[in-house]
Amino acid sequence: MKVISLGIPELDRDLGGGLPHPSLISVEGDYGSGKTIFVQQIASAMLNMGLKVCVITSEATVKEYLSMMRSVKLDADDYYLSGQLNIYPLHIEGGRWNDFLSSFFLKVTSNFLELKKRFYDAVIIDSLSVLTVNTPRSEFLTFVTRMKNLVSDERTVVTTFHPEFLSEDTIMKLRASSDVYLVLKNASISGLDVKVLRVVKLWGVSGERKSAITLEINPQIGLRVMPLS
């Protein structure tokens, strides 16, 4: 197991050194809490270490995803052009999401990742919410098992999700199965909008870590830790 430095010294320090690879990393958060930007920081750090990264996104097109990374100083265009970064948007042309399609695409995603695992070292699924709308519990547990199998094959799997889309029982199962479980929340401090990262679970690192980290998204410098006293 390696520890991946996220490229932000204060954040690495507060996480006890970084994030473990390989591992199953789950990031929970409400709308606008910074989940996408946080996992983009993880992707950028892995790319900088020479790892191959695959992104499955239900939030944006390829062009939009790369533009989002550039907007927070995480330019990944060269990695995408060289094939080190692959981005797969989950869009249904001419169709609408429903319970059947969500469950179906959850299976498609699992099969795709198993078939293509030799082409990536880490995969980011952003967001899992759209794939789990009313998905039967047994199917979701099968999905989690398959993701853990990928971790056993030395791959890191990062998932984001909105808590409203998963039952409490399902969230508890995901938390138990994850090596890293983080929760992002919106907050306001002295009139400044910030993100609070709560570390619920973090295996595989040896340094001291904080249970809560305050983050700011600054377009000029990207993601940074707020030095609050």
Side-chain angles (χ1 to χ4, degrees):
M1 179 176 286
K2 300 177 182 178
V3 175
I4 303 294
S5 166
L6 297 184
I8 304 173
E10 297 85 359
L11 182 57
D12 288 331
R13 179 198 63 213
D14 292 346
L15 289 172
L19 293 176
H21 167 73
S23 62
L24 175 58
I25 301 172
S26 298
V27 182
E28 172 190 329
D30 297 331
Y31 293 116
S33 59
K35 299 186 299 296
T36 294
I37 290 176
F38 185 78
V39 297
Q40 286 176 343
Q41 185 74 43
I42 297 174
S44 178
M46 290 182 164
L47 291 167
N48 290 336
M49 289 190 67
L51 301 177
K52 295 180 180 179
V53 177
C54 166
V55 175
I56 297 175
T57 172
S58 61
E59 308 287 336
T61 64
V62 172
K63 184 177 180 180
E64 289 169 344
Y65 200 87
L66 291 171
S67 178
M68 289 169 63
M69 294 189 73
R70 286 196 302 272
S71 71
V72 287
K73 304 301 180 183
L74 299 173
D75 193 338
D77 289 16
D78 289 343
Y79 291 120
Y80 178 75
L81 293 172
S82 69
Q84 189 179 339
L85 168 65
N86 286 291
I87 303 171
Y88 300 96
L90 273 178
H91 291 297
I92 304 171
E93 187 174 354
R96 295 182 179 179
W97 284 103
N98 55 37
D99 293 355
F100 168 76
L101 285 178
S102 294
S103 181
F104 176 72
F105 269 87
L106 187 66
K107 297 174 186 176
V108 169
T109 299
S110 298
N111 292 339
F112 176 80
L113 292 177
E114 288 178 353
L115 287 170
K116 298 291 185 180
K117 63 184 177 181
R118 68 183 184 277
F119 296 111
Y120 64 85
D121 301 298
V123 59
I124 293 172
I125 304 173
D126 183 30
S127 145
L128 194 61
S129 300
V130 76
L131 299 175
T132 54
V133 178
N134 296 325
T135 298
R137 183 175 183 273
S138 60
E139 292 184 12
F140 184 77
L141 295 180
T142 299
F143 170 80
V144 172
T145 299
R146 296 176 79 175
M147 295 305 99
K148 289 294 289 184
N149 289 339
L150 289 175
V151 174
S152 296
D153 287 332
E154 300 186 0
R155 304 299 187 270
T156 286
V157 179
V158 183
T159 67
T160 71
F161 68 95
H162 191 295
E164 288 185 4
F165 286 85
L166 297 180
S167 67
E168 184 61 32
D169 180 59
T170 302
I171 290 176
M172 291 299 292
K173 173 61 179 177
L174 184 59
R175 185 178 297 175
S177 300
S178 299
D179 305 295
V180 179
Y181 195 96
L182 308 171
V183 177
L184 275 162
K185 290 186 177 293
N186 293 306
S188 179
I189 299 176
S190 300
L192 180 66
D193 291 332
V194 297
K195 315 298 180 184
V196 176
L197 177 69
R198 187 162 63 90
V199 181
V200 178
K201 185 178 182 182
L202 180 53
W203 291 353
V205 297
S206 57
E208 294 184 8
R209 55 184 180 268
K210 291 186 177 180
S211 59
I213 304 164
T214 305
L215 303 171
E216 180 192 19
I217 300 171
N218 188 315
Q220 302 300 320
I221 59 176
L223 192 69
R224 72 177 186 126
V225 176
M226 290 291 290
L228 300 177
S229 61

